[in-house]
Amino acid sequence: MAAAASSTLHGVGAVASAKPRSAAPAAARRSVRVAAAAAKGGAGPARGRMVARSAVAAKADQAAAAAGSKSGGHEVLMFEALREALIEEMNLDPTVCVIGEDVGHYGGSYKVTKGLADMFGDLRVLDTPIAENSFTGMGVGAAMKGLRPVVEGMNMGFLLLAYNQISNNCGMLHYTSGGQFKIPIVIRGPGGVGRQLGAEHSQRLESYFQSIPGLQMVACSTPYNAKGLMKAAIRSENPVVLFEHVLLYNLKEKIPDEEYICCLEEAEMVRPGEHVTILTYSRMRYHVMQAAKTLVNKGYDPEVIDIRSLKPFDLHTIGNSIKKTHRVLIVEECMRTGGIGASLRSAIIDNFWDYLDAPIMCLSSQDVPTPYAATLEDATVVQPAQIVAAVEQICQ
């Protein structure tokens, strides 16, 4: 039991590196099922072809992909990048399936699964009733039996109804089964503060899920990393929650034509700098970059890091930046009390206290239900002017 609970990730009860007794037979059984499914007509030209199920991309491969494809790549919106990732992984592996409300012929509430039901059929793209606890539990059971389900919450706030399945089942079954079961499931969907969506549809669930042992969390912020993180999450042997911001689906970016994946445990250096480290993720990346333009004009040189991996934190990248700048500002859309920023600040204090020349500052959303009125809604979320003022205070 102890071996099954051991972790190679900071803060995540990941699949143990030592294989449990039943791992080899289970892997063999899964290979047989995959081959059989492919032989019966796995969708797409790559049917029957398998890829290594690795959650971590080699840095050299990632750097090559980031440099762009030989043919120049192609422009996609973020929801299209997520859709491409699903199509590619479903073509490569017949055990990958999609479960959720309106994911089938309607194509999902933000069209991430548009056309997938026609490509792969109603059993691999399964429309469900409005019952988050039921279909999330069904996804966990499917993962235990060798499938790789991608469960969509129509809105992340709705997944609170499935908190028991996400916590007691997704996060803990690998441990409580003594390593007999892996739970390779992806739970994804739109969240964050939108445009006058009201309190219940403006939830930031990062703070709810971060304390669940065994669960991994990532947040995409660009079409490039949305596709790469989705593919890596599907290939991971761990349960992964992928947070997508409702206001970022229509972001456009050129991505490589060649296949690539992003590391689930690696932060992204957005802007190198010397004076202060700004740690952020998701939509706040763009508020920070807007503030960075003003800060540069005022003579400051901020280093901006998109942490991307909300659990575990990439303390290697974060630490190297702090050792250079000696000042830290955390900017998040999550709630201030018990949020990602609070956990990140604690980790920095524990590991890099001696490198700090100023107190860590954290800008977070107000601890209030998100108002419907646009002006009040804006007042609850961190704005670029606040980021500029915070940096000026830290660098005094």
Side-chain angles (χ1 to χ4, degrees), residues 64-75 84 227 254-260:
S69 66
K70 296 177 182 177
S71 59
H74 59 287
E75 279 196 341
E84 279 190 14
K227 180 177 180 179
K254 181 175 286 189
I255 65 174
D257 293 328
E258 292 81 18
E259 183 184 35
Y260 68 92

Side-chain angles (χ1 to χ4, degrees), residues 255-276:
I255 65 174
D257 293 328
E258 292 81 18
E259 183 184 35
Y260 68 92
I261 61 173
C262 295
C263 179
L264 290 176
E265 294 90 33
E266 196 171 273
E268 177 187 348
M269 180 65 68
V270 180
R271 183 190 188 279
E274 298 289 338
H275 293 161
V276 59

Side-chain angles (χ1 to χ4, degrees), residues 11 37 87 90 209 222 263 310 360 381:
I87 292 172
M90 292 179 78
F209 293 149
T222 68
C263 179
L310 308 185
I360 301 170
V381 178

Side-chain angles (χ1 to χ4, degrees), residues 140-155:
V140 174
M144 292 173 68
K145 296 300 291 182
L147 298 182
R148 290 181 177 270
V150 179
V151 175
E152 175 180 314
M154 183 181 288
N155 182 280

Side-chain angles (χ1 to χ4, degrees), residues 51-280:
V51 295
R53 313 312 310 188
S54 170
V56 180
K59 289 188 177 182
D61 293 340
Q62 189 176 8
S69 66
K70 296 177 182 177
S71 59
H74 59 287
E75 279 196 341
V76 292
L77 302 175
M78 195 171 91
F79 81 88
E80 294 172 329
L82 291 164
R83 179 174 175 271
E84 279 190 14
L86 282 171
I87 292 172
E88 289 177 13
E89 293 304 301
M90 292 179 78
N91 273 324
L92 288 169
D93 186 348
T95 66
V96 178
C97 56
V98 179
I99 302 171
E101 300 156 353
D102 286 339
V103 297
H105 295 283
Y106 184 71
S109 54
Y110 290 90
K111 301 307 174 188
V112 173
T113 58
K114 182 180 179 181
L116 265 63
D118 294 332
M119 296 181 194
F120 301 103
D122 293 341
L123 288 181
R124 290 187 69 192
V125 186
L126 185 62
D127 272 324
T128 68
I130 302 175
E132 284 77 10
N133 58 343
S134 298
F135 67 71
T136 304
M138 181 171 64
V140 174
M144 292 173 68
K145 296 300 291 182
L147 298 182
R148 290 181 177 270
V150 179
V151 175
E152 175 180 314
M154 183 181 288
N155 182 280
M156 274 298 197
F158 301 162
L159 290 178
L160 290 175
L161 296 167
Y163 194 86
N164 176 64
Q165 284 72 25
I166 295 170
S167 175
N168 287 330
N169 301 150
C170 279
M172 300 186 190
L173 268 170
H174 179 67
Y175 173 79
T176 56
S177 69
Q180 295 180 73
F181 294 108
K182 298 176 182 178
I183 316 296
I185 187 173
V186 179
I187 298 171
R188 53 154 297 270
V193 178
R195 290 280 185 266
Q196 295 184 269
L197 297 179
E200 293 184 5
H201 289 69
S202 302
Q203 298 271 25
R204 285 80 87 198
L205 296 191
E206 304 96 298
S207 59
Y208 289 76
F209 293 149
Q210 67 170 325
S211 62
I212 299 174
L215 204 63
Q216 193 162 359
M217 304 194 311
V218 290
C220 58
S221 54
T222 68
Y224 177 85
N225 66 40
K227 180 177 180 179
L229 290 172
M230 172 74 91
K231 290 172 72 69
I234 292 172
R235 299 182 185 195
S236 175
E237 298 298 328
N238 299 310
V240 180
V241 181
L242 173 61
F243 292 95
E244 304 157 12
H245 200 287
V246 68
L247 292 183
L248 300 185
Y249 280 123
N250 287 323
L251 280 177
K252 182 178 286 188
E253 184 183 25
K254 181 175 286 189
I255 65 174
D257 293 328
E258 292 81 18
E259 183 184 35
Y260 68 92
I261 61 173
C262 295
C263 179
L264 290 176
E265 294 90 33
E266 196 171 273
E268 177 187 348
M269 180 65 68
V270 180
R271 183 190 188 279
E274 298 289 338
H275 293 161
V276 59
T277 297
I278 305 180
L279 304 174
T280 189

Side-chain angles (χ1 to χ4, degrees), residues 316-392:
H316 176 75
T317 300
I318 293 169
N320 284 342
S321 178
I322 293 171
K323 291 173 185 178
K324 177 173 60 173
T325 67
H326 308 290
R327 292 172 174 81
V328 181
L329 172 64
I330 301 168
V331 182
E332 63 177 347
E333 193 178 87
C334 195
M335 299 297 188
R336 182 172 186 80
T337 301
I340 295 296
S343 297
L344 184 54
R345 175 156 47 183
S346 176
I348 292 170
I349 290 172
D350 287 346
N351 291 276
F352 308 110
W353 172 260
D354 291 341
Y355 296 96
L356 295 171
D357 289 344
I360 301 170
M361 290 192 67
C362 184
L363 299 178
S364 312
S365 292
Q366 301 295 313
D367 285 339
V368 297
T370 304
Y372 176 77
T375 51
L376 295 177
E377 183 182 67
D378 287 341
T380 68
V381 178
V382 179
Q383 300 298 328
Q386 295 171 270
I387 300 170
V388 172
V391 169
E392 289 176 328

